[in-house]
Amino acid sequence: MDLLSLARTVKGRAQEPFTGVATMARTVADPRLPLLLVLNRTLFTPLYRASFLSAAAGSGVLRCMATRPCDLESIAEHLDTGPEERQRLRAWLDIGVRLGELDRREGCYRLKSRTAKALARVGNDAVAATLEELLRFHVPALRDAPRMLQGGGRFGLCDQDGLVVARSSLVVRGFVEAAVRKALPRTAPVRLLEVGCGSGAYVRYAAELNPRLTALAVDLQADVAGQAAKNMAQWGLADRVETRHGDLRTLDLQPQFDIVTMHNNIYYFPQDERAEILARARSLLAPGGTLLLTSSCRGSGTLGLEVLNLWFEYAPFGGPLPREDELLGQLREAGFDDVRATRVLPGQAFRAFTGRNSVTGPAGAPPARSAATTTVERTGS
Ligand SMILES: C[S@@+](CC[C@H](N)C(=O)[O-])C[C@H]1O[C@@H](n2cnc3c(N)ncnc32)[C@H](O)[C@@H]1O
């Protein structure tokens, strides 16, 4: 019996007459016991709950149970597991019962806790994906940092599940949509390029605001772009929105867009490459076109943002969340005019940045204002 189980036994028997008084006294006097009991309540159990709920939400098991109580067979069918896995599936579900997240009655599992019921709701999908992102990507950043510092390891894009991130990044949907509403012309025909489109939800939103808008939605990750294309078809937008798997740095396009949007992805680029990247985005804008970039920024952010920032510190392909003044400087360096940062809500770390491409020269080529823009002139479109 481990010390924790022993502690629980002792606690449970505290009211009973002591038989082995000396043994009990020795156990209770163990100086590690109070710490274990406190950690069990404050760390171990919440971690088990979070892990179970994240897996149950991510695998769709919570959503299954939201519609009706499910027996083992129907859950196995949903997960597409063979009969040889039934016992292991039951063992996992029973931990959910033990944690108080599920209930089991007459051979059927159902949702029990308020958290499980809330995470099962379709409207809370971004929150469920945030929990999954936290456990799968944030926890490794905290856990592996010392080992990575010693061994030199770093995170790569393959350490993130792009489909989970495409869902979790919609937690800031209200902020991004407010920024899109402000920047988008409503009646004139608009050609939009969305870089790093994720689910494509913001292209859909823009298309709903302006019925004459057409768009190219691009994402670096093939599975993310594939899912966005499926979403566009499902939303009835396939004839207005082309979805492509591609990289902003190598897109071979004319400067044809009235608006380029980059939502929640400037930190996927190293800090010292951002001015060049922004100049690249500008080179795809028609004269007079606008860049709309939204991002959480460093400072006054939540703990979750600080840990996201930490993850990108350990990812050589990206960099930390931007600072407002630093990104404004990079936009100017990239050749944008009328550069602005807008706070969508007071006290929030989220900002909408805009800049205008006033260049009327050939093919929207960036002006030679700095070393960074000069580099883009050589490698750009
Ligand atoms: C955090 S997600 C945000 C998705 C979406 N914009 C949103 O806000 O919901 C960032 C996305 O940017 C994409 N991305 C990163 N670097 C890119 C690049 N160089 N070109 C195109 N897409 C890129 C990633 O693949 C990822 O899907």
Side-chain angles (χ1 to χ4, degrees), residues 8-282:
R8 280 204 216 95
T9 311
V10 170
K11 208 171 160 228
R13 288 195 186 157
Q15 317 302 339
E16 296 173 14
F18 280 1
T19 43
V21 175
T23 310
M24 286 293 184
R26 259 201 307 278
T27 310
V28 173
D30 188 321
R32 296 169 298 178
L33 195 57
L35 177 62
L36 266 173
L37 286 171
V38 169
L39 292 190
N40 186 49
R41 185 170 43 80
T42 58
L43 287 182
F44 305 163
T45 305
L47 185 61
Y48 289 149
R49 284 189 64 203
S51 305
F52 178 82
L53 285 169
S54 156
S59 59
V61 166
L62 290 188
R63 191 102 21 105
C64 255
M65 290 180 202
T67 44
R68 60 185 164 80
C70 297
D71 61 12
L72 195 64
E73 286 310 307
S74 59
I75 300 170
E77 197 178 314
H78 170 79
L79 292 175
D80 198 18
T81 61
E84 70 286 359
E85 301 293 1
R86 292 293 185 277
Q87 177 44 37
R88 273 184 279 267
L89 175 59
R90 185 199 301 277
W92 176 69
L93 290 164
D94 286 349
I95 293 289
V97 174
R98 174 77 176 74
L99 288 167
E101 307 304 342
L102 307 180
D103 201 5
R104 194 187 57 215
R105 265 182 272 153
E106 293 154 9
C108 283
Y109 293 90
R110 62 193 81 209
L111 302 177
K112 182 176 180 192
S113 74
R114 293 219 321 238
T115 314
K117 287 176 187 166
L119 289 175
R121 272 182 224 126
V122 177
N124 287 336
D125 182 67
V127 182
T130 299
L131 175 64
E132 194 170 347
E133 175 179 342
L134 198 140
L135 282 161
R136 289 179 56 192
F137 319 130
H138 291 203
V139 167
L142 292 168
R143 191 193 58 204
D144 299 342
R147 190 180 50 73
M148 289 171 111
L149 289 172
Q150 288 167 325
R154 293 291 180 262
F155 293 120
L157 196 53
C158 57
D159 291 307
Q160 280 194 0
D161 182 331
L163 293 173
V164 171
V165 173
R167 288 165 47 224
S168 67
S169 53
L170 295 178
V171 281
V172 291
R173 187 174 199 142
F175 297 151
V176 177
E177 288 184 351
V180 172
R181 271 199 306 279
K182 204 164 168 206
L184 190 76
R186 301 301 168 82
T187 47
V190 166
R191 183 87 184 119
L192 163 77
L193 168 66
E194 178 134 322
V195 175
C197 63
S199 64
Y202 301 127
V203 178
R204 178 194 198 188
Y205 185 67
E208 282 168 358
L209 287 178
N210 182 335
R212 298 172 80 191
L213 175 143
T214 54
L216 173 61
V218 174
D219 202 284
L220 181 65
Q221 298 178 85
D223 52 350
V224 176
Q227 183 60 49
K230 279 189 205 152
N231 292 344
M232 292 305 165
Q234 201 183 327
W235 297 331
L237 287 171
D239 56 339
R240 289 169 66 198
V241 181
E242 183 195 343
T243 310
R244 244 189 241 180
H245 168 216
D247 184 337
L248 168 64
R249 292 164 291 202
T250 52
L251 279 179
D252 187 14
L253 294 167
Q254 292 300 307
Q256 56 190 285
F257 296 97
D258 304 300
I259 182 159
V260 171
T261 48
M262 295 176 71
H263 299 301
N264 307 309
N265 56 16
I266 190 64
Y267 39 88
Y268 281 67
F269 303 96
Q271 236 164 340
D272 57 357
E273 289 174 22
R274 288 180 190 167
E276 189 178 337
I277 284 295
L278 294 168
R280 173 85 191 120
R282 195 177 69 77

Side-chain angles (χ1 to χ4, degrees), residues 275-276 279 333 366-381:
E276 189 178 337
E333 196 182 328
R369 285 190 188 178
S370 67
T373 46
T374 309
T375 312
V376 174
E377 277 182 325
R378 277 193 266 109
T379 57
S381 57

